[in-house]
Each structure stands twice: as structure tokens, then as C-alpha cells.
Amino acid sequence: DGLDGSSESSVMSQEDLQAALDSVRDTFCSLLKQHVAASQSTRSSTSEENQKAMKDVIRAQEHLSSVAYRVKQELETRKAIQQTKSRIRSLKTVASTVVDKLRSAERLLEGVVDSAETKLRQVAQAKQGVVQSSDVIPLAYRLGVTHSINAPAGWDISNPIRPYPSEPMMRAGEWA
């Protein structure tokens, strides 16, 4: 970085900023001492020396303004970086929550699809008219264990027609 304040880097390190400020301070102090010394010894100072000192002060002031502007830009850049980092952390949290919910929904949907596939197979089998004994026997057992086999309501024991199919009726049925 020269006295004109030109720099290709948009972000200065803290050490660079401190060095630039120290350089400006030292230059300004040196010029101020020269000016004070020149003012006190008016006999020995010439107009040419005063003009040179003034030009040096103006150059130092321009450099100081340039450095101050760059420091301001640097601080704004750092503030923007911090805000962006904060926003990224927030978005990561939201993304993590969304991913967790999607995984939960995926597990739920897998269960629903598996259940639907099972039911579709059962429906297809039922449409074929095939009844497996492995389906009937457990159902009959559950009905028998729970004592849920009763005569129809209103059936009288003296009625000659039984509330269950007779053997000839069963032999004439589809399962025969």
C-alpha cells in the first residue's frame, strides 16, 4: 500500500490496518514537528520550505482519509460477513429440521406402502376366489375361543331347522 491508498485487496488484515494507521500517525507527527520547528524559526524558514511542509501535510491528510475510508469499508465488510454467517447458521438449523421431518415422513410412507401392498395382494387373492385354509383356521379358532358362536337371535330350540348348516348343505356348497 502506497501513500495514495491504492490496494487491490478488498479485505485487509487487522495487522495491515494497524500498520497503515501507525504509518499515518508517524508521518503526521513528523510533519507536525517539522512545521512547528519551521514556525518557531521564522528567520531560517523560507517560503519554499513552508510550501513543501504544507504539501507534505496535505499528502498525509489525503492518505489518512484514504485509510479511514478503507477501514470503514473493512468494518462494513466484516459486519456483512458476520450477518451472512449468522444467516447460514439459521438456514442450516431449518434445513436440518426439514431433513428430519422428511426422514420421518419417509418412514411413515414406507409403512403405508407396505401395508397397501399386503392389502392389494389380499384383494387380488380374494378376487380369484381362492380361500386358503391358513386364513380360515385361525379365524375359526378365534371365534371358538371367544365363545362368539351363538344361535341367531329369536331362534327357538324346538325349531327343526338348525341355525347352522347341515352336512348335506355343506357338501352342496362351494367348499365341498
Side-chain angles (χ1 to χ4, degrees), residues 150-165:
N150 292 324
W155 181 77
D156 184 18
I157 197 160
S158 62
N159 189 346
I161 299 175
R162 297 285 166 223
Y164 51 85

Side-chain angles (χ1 to χ4, degrees), residues 95-109:
S96 175
T97 302
V98 168
V99 166
D100 290 345
K101 287 183 180 184
L102 285 173
R103 285 184 181 144
S104 175
E106 179 185 26
R107 287 188 297 273
L108 178 67
L109 285 173

Side-chain angles (χ1 to χ4, degrees), residues 7-175:
S7 173
E8 294 300 316
S9 174
S10 63
V11 179
M12 297 175 61
S13 70
Q14 191 169 358
E15 293 81 20
D16 291 341
L17 287 172
Q18 187 64 43
L21 288 173
D22 289 343
S23 171
V24 168
R25 185 190 66 224
D26 294 345
T27 303
F28 189 73
C29 287
S30 172
L31 290 173
L32 189 58
K33 287 178 186 177
Q34 289 175 4
H35 182 68
V36 168
S39 296
Q40 290 176 350
S41 61
T42 53
R43 289 176 277 149
S44 65
S45 70
T46 64
S47 174
E48 193 175 292
E49 288 177 355
N50 283 340
Q51 286 180 353
K52 182 183 179 290
M54 286 305 281
K55 285 181 184 178
D56 289 344
V57 169
I58 290 171
R59 217 174 337 143
Q61 182 182 7
E62 289 171 352
H63 181 62
L64 181 61
S65 295
S66 171
V67 170
Y69 178 73
R70 288 174 47 208
V71 167
K72 180 182 173 189
Q73 286 181 325
E74 176 70 21
L75 292 175
E76 288 173 355
T77 302
R78 288 181 183 189
K79 182 178 178 183
I81 289 170
Q82 289 303 318
Q83 289 173 343
T84 303
K85 284 180 179 179
S86 175
R87 180 72 176 139
I88 288 171
R89 281 191 299 271
S90 173
L91 290 175
K92 280 183 178 180
T93 302
V94 169
S96 175
T97 302
V98 168
V99 166
D100 290 345
K101 287 183 180 184
L102 285 173
R103 285 184 181 144
S104 175
E106 179 185 26
R107 287 188 297 273
L108 178 67
L109 285 173
E110 284 175 350
V112 168
V113 168
D114 289 345
S115 175
E117 287 174 349
T118 301
K119 288 185 189 270
L120 285 173
R121 278 195 301 271
Q122 290 173 349
V123 166
Q125 185 180 7
K127 282 184 178 181
Q128 292 175 356
V130 178
V131 178
Q132 303 291 328
S133 62
S134 60
D135 293 335
V136 175
I137 293 172
L139 179 62
Y141 178 75
R142 279 189 293 173
L143 290 173
V145 169
T146 60
H147 304 292
S148 59
I149 302 172
N150 292 324
W155 181 77
D156 184 18
I157 197 160
S158 62
N159 189 346
I161 299 175
R162 297 285 166 223
Y164 51 85
S166 65
E167 190 173 333
M169 294 168 122
M170 288 178 71
R171 289 185 188 277
E174 289 184 35
W175 290 358

